[in-house]
Amino acid sequence: MTPPFVLLLAIWGTRYGPSDVNGIVQAAYRLSPGLHSVVLVTDRTRDGIDARVRQVAFPADYDRAEFFGRGYRSKLAVFSPQVVPPGLPCVFLDLDTVVIGDLGRIAALVQGPDDLFMLPPGGLGFGALRRVRDRVKGDGKFPVGNSSILAFHADAAPNLAETYASRFGAGDTEATRMVIDDVIIAWFGRGRVKGVPTSCGVMFRREFLSRVPGWAWFKAWLPGVQRRRSQIAAVTFNGVAVKPEQLATLAEGDTVSDGRGRSGPWTRRAIGPLWSHLQATVQPTAASPRPCEDHPG
């Protein structure tokens, strides 16, 4: 049986609303038998949020105008003891994420308080070779992943949110020069942060698009890829060009481009078993286009 875990979400500003929160929450409760509770960190109490969600204000250390801007440091508040209930693994999702399976599979990655998972960087990821390079070079260029999907333990000590807030407040140079949440999380977890496996959670643009012509199509035919994709619990649509509202405007057979050199066909055959679910998910957003910005709140 899936162990209990907490789902964490964060919202600020006007880009996202109750429907975005509720879509994730309802899918999570439907597909994740181990879901203990959902906590929404918010800049204000939101009407229309699913009654099962506990809304919590951003802690004072993260309720700063500059933290809601470039780099989205406000997201680090999801690690705060003022936000997370103690004693449980936690899964965090950006609001541009679709839940298509049991999030307990992501939570189960966390076996102890020191465990920290985020979507891995490209290339060597957070693998052994990257760790060796990091130790040998020691040049501060530690590998940085993506924080759209995170897994960690509420009882981690030291605590990331408290550590960064304390060092930032004290004017620590290393802390104050870091303004991107991904970088701060990777810095804090240096040497131990691990990648969320692609059988658990993926970025849409990396999983379904490619810089190699024809590869996205061919990849979908590989039996191992099909099996892995059937297990994925969450797909995040990070990147302005591949938001659900953009995908909702496409006809089957159109080409999807992420604006960073990756592309692929928007077809059932190329995307595989997830096509029907993704198609059903993105269509309702067509009537509610959003401002062209890319952040969780």
Side-chain angles (χ1 to χ4, degrees):
M1 182 176 178
T2 306
F5 69 95
V6 178
L7 173 61
L8 298 165
L9 306 170
I11 189 169
W12 63 87
T14 58
R15 174 172 168 76
Y16 293 98
S19 63
D20 301 292
V21 174
N22 293 343
I24 292 175
V25 172
Q26 290 161 11
Y29 271 112
R30 185 176 69 253
L31 298 170
S32 307
L35 182 56
H36 173 274
S37 56
V38 181
V39 178
L40 175 68
V41 192
T42 178
D43 56 354
R44 60 187 184 277
T45 301
R46 305 268 176 158
D47 295 330
I49 299 294
D50 190 301
R52 294 170 291 185
V53 176
R54 180 166 66 92
Q55 298 190 50
V56 178
F58 279 93
D61 286 333
Y62 287 92
D63 190 15
R64 301 168 176 262
E66 66 268 36
F67 281 16
F68 290 111
R70 175 176 173 261
Y72 316 128
R73 282 172 285 177
S74 53
K75 191 194 297 186
L76 301 179
V78 302
F79 290 90
S80 173
Q82 300 176 49
V83 170
V84 297
L88 294 171
C90 301
V91 173
F92 168 82
L93 301 178
D94 271 352
L95 294 183
D96 54 3
T97 302
V98 174
V99 176
I100 58 175
D102 183 2
L103 295 177
R105 299 189 62 248
I106 300 176
L109 298 170
V110 180
Q111 297 295 304
D114 289 336
D115 286 342
L116 174 61
F117 291 81
M118 66 192 304
L119 291 174
L124 297 175
F126 290 122
L129 289 177
R130 181 69 70 88
R131 293 175 191 278
V132 169
R133 183 249 178 239
D134 187 33
R135 286 197 301 270
V136 171
K137 298 287 285 187
D139 56 6
K141 295 180 180 179
F142 46 88
V144 175
N146 183 278
S147 63
S148 297
I149 301 176
L150 299 169
F152 58 94
H153 201 284
D155 295 342
N159 179 273
L160 189 159
E162 292 182 333
T163 298
Y164 182 76
S166 174
R167 294 184 63 170
F168 180 86
D172 179 274
T173 302
E174 186 177 30
T176 56
R177 68 181 172 83
M178 290 189 289
V179 298
I180 300 174
D181 63 297
D182 298 336
V183 173
I184 296 166
I185 294 168
W187 158 78
F188 179 81
R190 187 173 189 173
R192 62 184 175 87
V193 63
K194 299 176 183 177
V196 173
T198 54
S199 58
C200 291
V202 296
M203 300 182 198
F204 175 85
R205 58 190 178 88
R206 284 190 178 173
E207 177 63 32
F208 298 103
L209 309 180
S210 175
R211 292 189 173 95
V212 179
W215 174 247
W217 184 279
F218 177 74
K219 180 180 178 181
W221 283 94
L222 299 175
V225 171
Q226 293 181 17
R227 286 193 298 271
R228 176 178 58 76
R229 286 180 174 176
S230 70
Q231 302 174 51
I232 292 173
V235 179
T236 188
F237 293 87
N238 64 324
V240 172
V242 290
K243 294 300 186 193
E245 55 266 29
Q246 273 76 48
L247 298 178
T249 67
L250 301 177
E252 184 168 1
D254 285 350
T255 297
V256 184
S257 300
D258 72 348
R260 300 183 183 184
R262 296 183 184 88
S263 63
W266 180 244
T267 67
R268 185 185 305 273
R269 292 176 68 186
I271 292 178
L274 299 183
W275 161 262
S276 296
H277 192 105
L278 294 177
Q279 180 76 343
T281 300
V282 302
Q283 285 301 328
T285 67
S288 55
R290 306 179 191 280
C292 186
E293 50 183 314
D294 185 20
H295 63 76

